[in-house]
Amino acid sequence: MNDEINIIKNENLLELEAWYTSIEAYQKSDLTFDFEKEVFFSIHLNDTLIGIMSICEDDRRLNNLKRFILLEQRSKGYASMLLDYLIDYAENNNFISIKGELRSESKKGINFFEDKGFRIIPFDKYITSVMLRLINY
């Protein structure tokens, strides 16, 4: 049996917030989402929500990229599928860049974004910025 993967721009923010709130703290670390200001994309495996990604739309830039995949679903390519969807969304809607930050010690996270074509910009010993330029000026 093949798994069915669906990724959508999700506007049911109450459902997403309830889902994320119900997840145990050890899975989330210190990751927080603003369910009133951010734009959300969700990934579903066989109709079960397994992850979310958020972004702040600012003029023609997408800033403050955040992602969360359930612990038992990590390292299976779902975050990659979600980011690919976001990149397509950004390109199709004429955004010029996608930016986010992650912990500098997260070598796996840095490699993940680098493999997707993001420029890696060390900010300090704690924070690294990632940026993908979509339109050249």
Side-chain angles (χ1 to χ4, degrees), residues 16-104:
L16 292 180
E17 186 172 16
W19 174 82
Y20 190 69
T21 302
S22 73
I23 295 167
E24 295 182 46
Y26 75 91
Q27 286 199 48
K28 297 186 277 190
S29 188
D30 59 355
L31 182 62
T32 60
F33 292 96
D34 186 336
F35 289 92
E36 293 181 15
K37 295 181 180 176
E38 297 169 4
V39 176
F40 284 85
F41 301 86
S42 58
I43 185 164
H44 305 257
L45 174 63
N46 299 324
D47 295 323
T48 300
L49 182 59
I50 62 166
I52 57 177
M53 181 173 285
S54 74
I55 201 79
C56 293
E57 293 184 357
D58 178 22
D59 193 21
R60 294 185 50 226
R61 292 171 174 79
L62 297 176
N63 294 315
N64 202 24
L65 171 66
K66 297 182 221 171
R67 61 190 165 88
F68 174 80
I69 301 290
L70 289 173
L71 192 59
E72 65 270 15
Q73 299 298 339
R74 293 181 189 165
S75 299
K76 297 181 180 180
Y78 298 129
S80 183
M81 289 180 215
L82 203 48
L83 186 57
D84 289 344
Y85 186 90
L86 176 65
I87 292 169
D88 288 343
Y89 169 82
E91 290 174 337
N92 291 332
N93 289 282
N94 298 315
F95 285 96
I96 60 174
S97 63
I98 301 171
K99 294 181 184 178
E101 293 180 348
L102 62 154
R103 291 186 184 117
S104 295

Side-chain angles (χ1 to χ4, degrees), residues 67 102-103 105-115 118 120 130:
R67 61 190 165 88
L102 62 154
R103 291 186 184 117
E105 76 236 11
S106 176
K107 301 304 177 199
K108 187 174 180 181
I110 291 169
N111 290 338
F112 171 79
F113 283 104
E114 198 168 42
D115 289 347
F118 280 71
I120 307 303
V130 294

